[in-house]
Amino acid sequence: MDKIIAPSILSADFSILGKEISDAEKSGAGWIHIDVMDGQFVPNITYGSIIVETCRKLTKLPLDVHLMIEKPEKHIEEFAKSGADYISVHAETCPHLHRVVQQIKEQKVKAGVALNPSTDPDVLKWVIEELDFVLVMSVNPGFGGQKFIKNSIEKIKIIKKMIDDKNLKTKIQVDGGVNSSTIKDISLAGADIFVAGSAIFGKDDYKKEIDELKLLAG
């Protein structure tokens, strides 16, 4: 699997969302990343399944839905039916994490677990074999445009070793502060999928930005 750039619509101009997604797709984006926030688990509130449904009509790219919400198990089916191809839930919100991962997979959707910056990757130990990907948050979730937390590199390396030791195909996604200054080190640490918001949306030339990120990611 080649390295994937996944533009986050959190940084897109919603008054022209269709054009933003189309431009990102034409410019070489691999996935479209959709951050769902509830104002409880994270301080911000964004959007719900209706936006996923809208994005599904706008693009053929895989839709990557990141649920930054309390009790995500209540909403898995709703987001799957809206058109999500990938759904990630936060380990911090799921006391029955294995059950929620199975719930995602029962919907024929690829399953991921997201970790906040201060969450120990050991929480993955007993579920990683069930996962299609792990999402490493390299900023504190809730807002776009934050600076990359440098010790995330060490966390990525630990998770990569965990995957390699078990000879798994689980991928590592990184979200937060991904740009031309950070992506090379993130990739070298073992990441496969790079969520980028303000590094793409709002720039003059999306193709130029995505091409540069891909080149740096190797």
Side-chain angles (χ1 to χ4, degrees), residues 7 18-30 32 58-61 205-208 210-211 214:
K19 183 177 187 302
E20 291 278 64
I21 290 175
S22 175
D23 287 349
E25 182 172 2
K26 290 173 186 172
S27 299
I32 296 297
L58 296 171
T59 182
K60 293 181 179 177
L61 289 178
D205 187 338
Y206 293 178
K207 186 174 189 309
K208 176 175 173 288
I210 291 173
D211 283 350
K214 284 183 176 177

Side-chain angles (χ1 to χ4, degrees), residues 1-5 186-188 190-194 213-214 217-218:
M1 173 175 155
D2 293 333
K3 304 283 181 168
I4 289 173
I5 307 299
I186 296 169
S187 182
L188 288 172
D192 307 285
I193 306 145
F194 308 86
L213 291 174
K214 284 183 176 177

Side-chain angles (χ1 to χ4, degrees), residues 177-186 212-213 216:
V178 175
N179 54 43
S180 58
S181 299
T182 59
I183 194 168
K184 184 175 182 179
D185 287 340
I186 296 169
E212 182 180 14
L213 291 174
L216 291 166

Side-chain angles (χ1 to χ4, degrees), residues 61-80:
L61 289 178
L63 299 182
D64 170 35
V65 178
H66 176 195
L67 297 181
M68 289 180 264
I69 63 176
E70 297 284 354
K71 296 183 172 57
E73 64 276 4
K74 292 186 174 182
H75 303 281
I76 300 296
E77 184 177 357
E78 171 191 347
F79 280 99

Side-chain angles (χ1 to χ4, degrees), residues 87 142 165:
I87 293 177
D165 285 349

